[in-house]
Amino acid sequence: MSNKTVSESEVTITELMVPHYANFSGKVHGGTLLSMMDKVAYVCATKYSHCYCVTVAVERVEFMAPVEVGDLVSMSASVNYVGRSSMIIGIRVDSFKPKTGESKHTNSCIFTMVAKDENGKTATVPTLIIENERQARRFVKGKYIKGKSKEEHQFLDVEIDNVPMEEVLETCRNGNCVLQLKD
């Protein structure tokens, strides 16, 4: 398995936003965009690893501007970080209005993908060749995200039944809820 550059993973997919994608407010549904982002993350990871890949986590999604029916949406993805079998994929979403020529950055997200072999076991991915400062910074950010994700999973795996009731009650009192406990 040879090492690969970031550019060998880069993918851009463009699609016309049709009325079928609209939500009740007439904008493209966020779930539709998430599904499309998952597909571009898969294409990027598979292109890089030459393996079947699965989505392990959506680390971060930001919806910064609405996408309209009739827009051309381009999703650009690249591998930003690799572990042994995992890849962190950065995705940028831009919309383009054909009638006006207006283009805007609407969404960004980070997906974690894992390569699988023919037997469904994790597969080793190529080492990433970093060619410039931006890629180096994205690699470091990806490593940081991977570490933070593990910390968050450990935190979320805490068995809530083992948290002292005093702490539970204090958290509820300081939160946006009303305690009406009945025994």
Side-chain angles (χ1 to χ4, degrees):
M1 176 183 318
S2 61
N3 303 338
K4 289 190 172 184
T5 63
V6 172
S7 63
E8 290 178 273
S9 74
E10 293 175 337
V11 178
T12 299
I13 296 175
T14 302
E15 188 169 336
L16 172 65
M17 298 296 102
V18 296
H20 175 71
Y21 295 164
N23 60 23
F24 295 116
S25 69
K27 310 295 184 201
V28 173
H29 194 302
T32 299
L33 293 170
L34 278 170
S35 177
M36 294 170 63
M37 287 184 260
D38 188 50
K39 289 173 190 169
V40 76
Y42 172 82
V43 171
C44 178
T46 300
K47 180 181 176 187
Y48 181 81
S49 67
H50 290 270
C51 294
Y52 173 73
C53 295
V54 295
T55 303
V56 173
V58 180
E59 303 290 348
R60 183 173 168 186
V61 178
E62 296 177 29
F63 293 100
M64 297 173 280
V67 174
E68 310 276 341
V69 170
D71 288 356
L72 296 176
V73 169
S74 295
M75 298 189 177
S76 300
S78 67
V79 172
N80 291 350
Y81 170 85
V82 298
R84 189 190 65 74
S85 62
S86 65
M87 295 156 281
I88 291 186
I89 312 296
I91 302 172
R92 178 186 168 103
V93 182
D94 293 292
S95 69
F96 175 76
K97 295 191 178 309
K99 288 184 177 181
T100 66
E102 177 191 358
S103 184
K104 64 184 172 182
H105 177 203
T106 61
N107 307 74
S108 291
C109 67
I110 296 169
F111 275 65
T112 300
M113 308 294 287
V114 169
K116 299 285 189 167
D117 66 16
E118 302 80 30
N119 300 313
K121 304 288 185 197
T122 58
T124 303
V125 299
T127 299
L128 189 62
I129 299 169
I130 303 294
E131 298 180 300
N132 58 48
E133 182 180 330
R134 183 181 187 126
Q135 292 172 0
R137 290 184 183 282
R138 286 181 174 171
F139 186 88
V140 170
K141 182 178 180 180
K143 185 170 178 133
Y144 175 78
I145 288 167
K146 185 174 182 178
K148 278 304 214 185
S149 181
K150 283 183 180 180
E151 283 178 29
E152 287 175 11
H153 285 286
Q154 288 171 347
F155 174 77
L156 294 173
D157 286 342
V158 169
E159 183 58 47
I160 194 65
D161 292 337
N162 294 333
V163 175
M165 193 57 185
E166 295 165 358
E167 186 178 334
V168 171
L169 292 173
E170 184 65 24
T171 301
C172 289
R173 284 186 196 102
N174 293 327
N176 189 16
C177 69
V178 176
L179 287 173
Q180 293 183 346
L181 304 177
K182 298 174 184 170
D183 290 329

